[in-house]
Amino acid sequence: MQLKLRRAPERDVLDAGSSSVIGLDLVAVGTGAPGAVAVIESIGGTVLLSVVDADGQRGPSIPIDARVSPGARVTVPMAVAPARCDPHAFAEDKQGTRFPVTVRLDGQHRVTLTVAADDSTRAALYDAIRRGCRLPG
């Protein structure tokens, strides 16, 4: 399975400090043998970003339960919120846009993959955090 993150700014609610919400899409493309289904079970937050569930509650991870067959492309809308707004943490970030994703393969084997934001998504996330936390640009 290939995983990537894509910004979804149309779902942003910024300028609310630590209550700001940043829209993301988790995009999965199924790989592997025909009939081999992978299930994305959950995604976790990072040092900079908490994941937000459908009810608006933050947590260390949120359930997803998305089935991905070989060759299929599945987009999972999600939201994150600044986990902290102190400039020090933001300026020294090294892992804040690398999210742990738990996947179950073949209905049995559970693995945790890390999906890292590409350069443009990372820049867009940093910009959203700056705006949401009202940090200088």
Side-chain angles (χ1 to χ4, degrees):
M1 173 183 320
Q2 297 173 346
L3 296 169
K4 73 177 191 174
L5 293 170
R6 182 176 61 204
R7 275 285 285 124
E10 67 277 5
R11 294 195 310 269
D12 287 355
V13 179
L14 299 176
D15 299 323
S18 60
S19 296
S20 293
V21 177
I22 301 165
L24 282 176
D25 287 328
L26 176 64
V27 180
V29 177
T31 59
V37 175
V39 177
I40 303 171
E41 292 186 336
S42 64
I43 188 165
T46 72
V47 173
L48 286 182
L49 295 161
S50 298
V51 287
V52 180
D53 69 14
D55 294 326
Q57 299 298 311
R58 296 174 188 216
S61 69
I62 56 170
I64 293 178
D65 196 34
R67 299 175 63 81
V68 185
S69 300
R73 178 184 174 99
V74 176
T75 300
V76 178
M78 56 179 286
V80 295
R84 50 194 298 181
C85 283
D86 57 302
H88 175 76
F90 182 70
E92 295 184 14
D93 174 59
K94 292 178 181 51
Q95 301 290 322
T97 60
R98 298 174 56 88
F99 295 83
V101 178
T102 302
V103 177
R104 190 176 62 237
L105 304 171
D106 301 325
Q108 299 175 33
H109 307 296
R110 185 172 284 126
V111 296
T112 300
L113 307 172
T114 299
V115 60
D118 61 27
D119 291 342
S120 64
T121 302
R122 182 174 38 258
L125 280 168
Y126 285 164
D127 180 60
I129 293 167
R130 277 189 202 97
R131 289 186 295 137
C133 289
R134 300 181 191 117
L135 297 173

